[in-house]
Amino acid sequence: MSTLRELTKEELLAPGHRMCAGCPVPTLVRMTLKALRGPTVIVNATGCLEVATSIYPYTAWRLPWVHVAFENAAAVASGIEAGFKALMRKGRWDQKVDVIALGGDGGTFDIGLQALSGALERGHDFLYICYDNEAYMNTGIQRSGSTTFGAATTTSPPGAKIPGKREWKKDLIGIAVAHDIPYAATASVAFWKDCIAKVRKGIEVDGPAVIHAITPCPRGWRHEPSESIKVARLAVQTRFFPLYEVENGKYRITLPVPNPLPVEEFLKTQGRFRHLFKPENRWMIEAIQRWVDKNYERLVKLSQL
Amino acid sequence: MKRIGLTGDEAIAYAAKQCDVDVVSAYPITPQTIIVEKYSEYVANGEVDTEFVNVESEHSALSACIGASLTGARVFTATASQGLALMHELLYIASSLRCPIVMGIANRALSAPLNIHGDHSDMMGSRDCGWIQIFAENAQEAYDWTIQAFRLSEDPEVLLPSSINIDGFIISHSMEGVEVLEDEAVRAFLPPRSDARAIDPNRPLTIGPVALPDYYFEFKRQQAEVMKKVPPVLERVCREFGKISGRRYGKFQSYGMEDARTAIICMGSAAGTARHVAKALRGKGEKVGVVKLWLYRPFPADELVRELEGLKSVVVMDRAISFGAPLGPLCSDLIGAIYGKLPKLKVMNAIYGLGGRDITAKEIEGIYREGLRMAKAKAPMVRVKYVGVRE
Ligand SMILES: Cc1ncc(C[n+]2csc(CCOP(=O)(O)OP(=O)(O)O)c2C)c(N)n1
């Protein structure tokens, strides 16, 4: 799979879903669904993607799709995998079924982390994809454990005393890798080839795989709907969101950024960081730059090991 | 048929083992732990062909059970108390997605204060969750009901999850002689599950969508309707089970009701004591009876009305409090059932046994005597009494 032309034309996510204009999550899902290798079941945590693609009596899903609750996509996926495994062993089912769980950053970094950790520890053969829009968007832009330091959300508003979110983003891939799983990677909707290749790898490995994909949210990040892909690209080009993978513990930067743009270039595209550009808050931009540099250096070192 | 010594927990595990369960996902909690441990032993020894998903919490246990059940697999789990409370969100989802999961529950008090002993508070907190809820009096019943529950839950007319409740420690940990069926008899009674709606990766199906005000209510209305299909199927399942076991079950079991003036209505292990006391009182010429409810949800309202016709008074025994409510949960249900139908029946609500407090034969005799007094007196229709507590 190396050119666009070689990709399947089949679209398993139907148009006419109700995601917001400019939301790149459907783009990510369509890329994901182009990487399938056979019968697949999708498990979706509660969140924007779930509510906007399954409003009864309509559905945008042209393959089996299950939504159970917010915090348990990984546990439901464990059960589906175990169910098919048992049925296959007993001769009541005869095809390998791939299971892909999809969750937002809230459903993954926060409330669903325990279920995800449990499923990774148990070694279920499934792929977990976290689409990261850095907040609880479905409930109206509240901060999550993935929200960037300094960002404005409705529960971390920039006020006279506190200028936005005070905590740093969790290292989801680090947490996943600590479970000694065969495959983990980051992805960006702006780099389709890298993204689709990683999804396919995640499906093919035997055991759990985790993909953490950055998906800008025009509503929550306050950028033009037409700019989502550009913002997702800038996230990579500024090294804010480096693209890398970890195969059996071995780190590799899949899209090295030798000459990065300053992180400001990424921040200034979004209204959620507007307050950082006030003179008294400039230190926060510098702090974010230091965080970005340190993280990239860490990844470079890890990939040289 | 042979007789073996089993605790209530072991009886449920043994029954599940004979039911050829495809997936078990569970998490330990006293007094249910033995069920999980026993089943793990069966798995480790190759005595069952089951995927055992050893999850990190009850929330994930029921989530995994739902996922597995949707593939068409036969699924079993067990829990109690805080574990059931942690599952609460998923209890509703399991029934609404029509997953015929069977769950053993060793009923236990809820925190705070922390208490590991038996009462019915855990299940009562879940009474509106759309599950079939069955209470067993002893290990034999727990064994028999577990097998019947799979048949009932998986019946294409029903497709609802079931819980088999046993009183924590009193039944879960007491060894009894249990008559068990031959494996082949259970296999013949319960063929492998097949469900035309199960996930088929070659057929798109959206499960668990969003339904807004334009549809949600219709879903719930239909779900209420499904509950009505349970009793006739239960009758059929019990009749067939009676043929292979010689033990006949139903919605409830009556003792001494032919000519009773007053009766105790209860669930679980207290029924044995109530029967014992009733027998002694009947020996002295008192007209008392016992109605032991097996099926709590769906509540057999009409049948209970028929059963209680002609009685002067009943005592409803609740092993749980519904805080702030006028009555205990079982008593509220009964009043709802008889409303306008048995206008003269006097009702006493005896709340007893919380946190594992024993209920003695003497106390039950006291309850009967009060029931008989109420039958004669111009007492108010309903009153609540806490039995066996320092006040
Ligand atoms: C137990 C529970 N708590 C809270 C909610 C409310 N809720 C639904 S979606 C959501 C936020 C989802 O955020 P995220 O996972 O980041 O996905 P997004 O909406 O951004 O796509 C919340 C808080 C819920 N459904 N269940």
Side-chain angles (χ1 to χ4, degrees):
Chain A
M1 200 190 300
S2 53
T3 66
L4 264 178
R5 227 166 273 206
E6 284 168 82
L7 287 180
T8 169
K9 289 209 171 60
E10 197 181 17
E11 292 288 355
L12 292 172
L13 184 75
H17 54 71
R18 307 185 200 191
M19 297 295 273
C20 299
C23 175
V25 176
T27 315
L28 173 73
V29 173
R30 284 170 58 213
M31 286 180 190
T32 298
L33 301 180
K34 286 194 186 295
L36 303 190
R37 64 168 172 182
T40 305
V41 179
I42 303 288
V43 183
N44 204 162
T46 310
C48 295
L49 176 65
E50 171 262 328
V51 300
T53 56
S54 74
I55 302 181
Y56 189 85
Y58 306 104
T59 178
W61 297 92
R62 288 172 172 155
L63 73 175
W65 178 93
V66 178
H67 161 253
V68 176
F70 184 22
E71 62 280 62
N72 63 354
V76 174
S78 304
I80 292 177
E81 188 245 23
F84 280 119
K85 212 158 142 189
L87 296 182
M88 267 173 92
R89 204 170 52 225
K90 295 184 175 187
R92 279 152 62 199
W93 185 258
D94 58 5
Q95 280 170 296
K96 161 86 180 121
V97 178
D98 292 327
V99 182
I100 300 179
L102 290 161
D105 51 290
T108 307
F109 283 66
D110 295 346
I111 199 166
L113 188 63
Q114 174 182 311
L116 177 61
S117 170
L120 299 183
E121 180 265 331
R122 292 188 300 273
H124 293 278
D125 187 10
F126 78 120
L127 167 64
Y128 190 99
I129 302 179
C130 169
Y131 65 93
D132 183 4
N133 50 29
E134 294 210 324
Y136 301 112
M137 295 308 178
N138 186 50
T139 35
I141 324 172
Q142 296 87 20
R143 61 87 85 191
S144 80
S146 132
T147 308
T148 302
F149 173 81
T153 70
T154 53
T155 51
S156 65
K161 193 165 169 209
I162 307 168
K165 196 200 179 202
R166 287 198 278 192
E167 304 81 16
W168 295 90
K169 191 180 174 82
K170 272 190 210 175
D171 175 13
L172 179 70
I173 294 295
I175 293 169
V177 168
H179 289 77
D180 200 15
I181 56 171
Y183 190 74
T186 59
S188 162
V189 276
F191 298 89
W192 64 269
K193 222 161 130 174
D194 181 80
C195 178
I196 293 177
K198 284 169 173 171
V199 171
R200 184 61 182 236
K201 262 191 188 173
I203 293 171
E204 282 177 356
V205 292
D206 216 3
V210 174
I211 289 178
H212 176 199
I214 188 90
T215 50
C217 169
R219 294 278 303 113
W221 292 18
R222 312 235 176 267
H223 57 71
E224 284 302 313
S226 60
E227 304 246 288
S228 298
I229 300 295
K230 184 183 130 187
V231 174
R233 188 178 303 120
L234 275 171
V236 177
Q237 289 169 337
T238 57
R239 293 179 172 175
F240 172 83
F241 196 85
L243 295 181
Y244 62 100
E245 64 183 9
V246 193
E247 269 184 284
N248 298 310
K250 176 96 190 79
Y251 278 74
R252 185 172 77 88
I253 297 179
T254 57
L255 205 119
V257 186
N259 305 305
L261 297 168
V263 77
E264 248 185 270
E265 294 301 313
F266 169 70
L267 303 179
K268 75 181 185 198
T269 57
Q270 302 152 53
R272 64 175 175 152
F273 294 119
R274 190 177 306 129
H275 58 287
L276 301 191
F277 291 87
K278 288 186 192 158
E280 68 272 24
N281 289 337
R282 284 235 50 119
W283 66 272
M284 293 176 85
I285 296 182
E286 284 154 28
I288 296 173
Q289 184 66 60
R290 279 197 300 280
W291 177 81
V292 163
D293 294 345
K294 201 170 109 192
N295 188 42
Y296 198 84
E297 263 168 50
R298 180 182 69 95
L299 292 171
V300 169
K301 269 198 203 122
L302 282 168
S303 27
Q304 286 163 352
L305 285 179
Chain B
M1 224 175 304
K2 59 184 176 197
R3 204 175 163 81
I4 54 176
L6 294 173
T7 64
D9 276 354
E10 288 169 349
I12 290 178
Y14 194 91
K17 167 182 140 176
Q18 292 185 309
C19 289
D20 188 23
V21 175
D22 301 313
V23 177
V24 170
S25 184
Y27 193 80
I29 181 167
T30 306
Q32 166 275 124
T33 322
I34 304 166
I35 303 180
V36 185
E37 289 173 348
K38 264 285 152 208
Y39 209 89
S40 305
E41 254 175 64
Y42 298 145
V43 175
N45 294 331
E47 291 174 73
V48 286
D49 189 2
T50 303
E51 274 298 308
F52 197 125
V53 187
N54 264 307
V55 281
E56 80 300 333
S57 74
E58 286 87 352
H59 195 280
S60 284
L62 195 50
S63 302
C65 286
I66 291 170
S69 187
L70 292 172
T71 69
R74 173 167 298 149
V75 178
F76 174 77
T77 187
T79 195
S81 185
Q82 307 302 119
L84 186 63
L86 188 57
M87 286 180 179
H88 190 71
E89 179 192 30
L90 284 320
L91 292 174
Y92 287 79
I93 299 176
S95 58
S96 305
L97 295 182
R98 309 285 297 276
C99 296
I101 298 161
V102 173
M103 169 151 67
I105 304 179
N107 296 122
R108 165 183 151 181
L110 288 169
S111 286
L114 193 150
N115 177 302
I116 58 169
H117 290 273
D119 70 33
H120 295 165
S121 308
D122 52 2
M123 194 68 242
M124 288 308 166
S126 312
R127 68 178 170 150
D128 299 329
C129 64
W131 283 53
I132 298 166
Q133 298 175 354
I134 290 163
F135 283 77
E137 181 189 324
N138 50 39
Q140 181 71 58
E141 290 190 3
Y143 169 84
D144 291 337
W145 271 118
T146 303
I147 296 169
Q148 294 177 93
F150 281 107
R151 260 291 290 273
L152 174 62
S153 280
E154 292 175 12
D155 190 287
E157 296 263 308
V158 175
L159 290 170
L160 287 172
S162 293
S163 64
I164 306 302
N165 293 266
I166 51 173
D167 283 352
F169 286 108
I170 301 169
I171 304 304
S172 65
H173 284 61
S174 303
M175 179 81 73
E176 290 175 41
V178 175
E179 251 185 38
V180 296
L181 300 169
E182 297 299 334
D183 292 352
E184 303 77 61
V186 180
R187 296 272 159 132
F189 178 75
L190 188 71
R193 182 183 162 205
S194 79
D195 187 344
R197 308 157 320 140
I199 297 178
D200 175 350
N202 306 306
R203 179 179 53 126
L205 183 67
T206 292
I207 301 170
V210 177
L212 298 174
D214 54 349
Y215 281 102
Y216 181 85
F217 201 175
E218 278 70 27
F219 278 105
K220 294 296 125 177
R221 178 68 184 85
Q222 288 179 38
Q223 216 177 322
E225 214 50 37
V226 174
M227 274 288 179
K228 292 193 193 150
K229 302 215 173 135
V230 174
V233 178
L234 180 109
E235 278 301 314
R236 201 166 67 223
V237 170
C238 291
R239 204 180 319 121
E240 283 182 40
F241 186 80
K243 276 189 213 145
I244 63 163
S245 67
R247 293 181 293 277
R248 185 68 161 85
Y249 291 85
K251 298 169 195 108
F252 51 80
Q253 185 183 44
S254 298
Y255 173 81
M257 289 301 287
E258 313 73 35
D259 59 350
R261 266 174 86 81
T262 192
I264 281 180
I265 301 180
C266 62
M267 303 195 292
S269 62
T273 321
R275 249 188 343 262
H276 166 80
V277 174
K279 204 168 172 184
L281 288 175
R282 290 183 76 83
K284 292 182 201 162
E286 301 284 10
K287 293 188 169 159
V288 295
V290 184
V291 177
K292 172 181 76 185
L293 221 55
W294 277 313
L295 183 66
Y296 178 58
R297 281 290 182 273
F299 195 72
D302 296 341
E303 295 86 339
L304 275 176
V305 168
R306 279 197 293 278
E307 192 66 15
L308 303 182
E309 241 160 24
L311 260 73
K312 300 277 186 255
S313 64
V314 289
V315 183
V316 184
M317 289 180 63
D318 260 300
R319 200 162 198 155
I321 295 177
S322 176
F323 298 103
L327 299 162
L330 179 55
C331 193
S332 294
D333 286 325
L334 186 82
I335 296 282
I338 66 172
Y339 176 78
K341 295 183 177 145
L342 302 172
K344 295 208 181 107
L345 186 67
K346 309 223 169 67
V347 181
M348 185 173 100
N349 189 191
I351 291 176
Y352 75 102
L354 265 65
R357 173 80 37 101
D358 274 342
I359 177 91
T360 64
K362 215 170 153 180
E363 281 162 345
I364 293 198
E365 185 176 338
I367 293 172
Y368 267 124
R369 297 215 175 277
E370 209 155 327
L372 287 166
R373 264 201 303 282
M374 260 178 106
K376 284 187 211 133
K378 283 203 169 69
M381 168 140 162
V382 195
R383 54 175 298 224
V384 184
K385 189 181 157 77
Y386 291 82
V387 178
V389 65
R390 294 184 290 270
E391 290 189 290

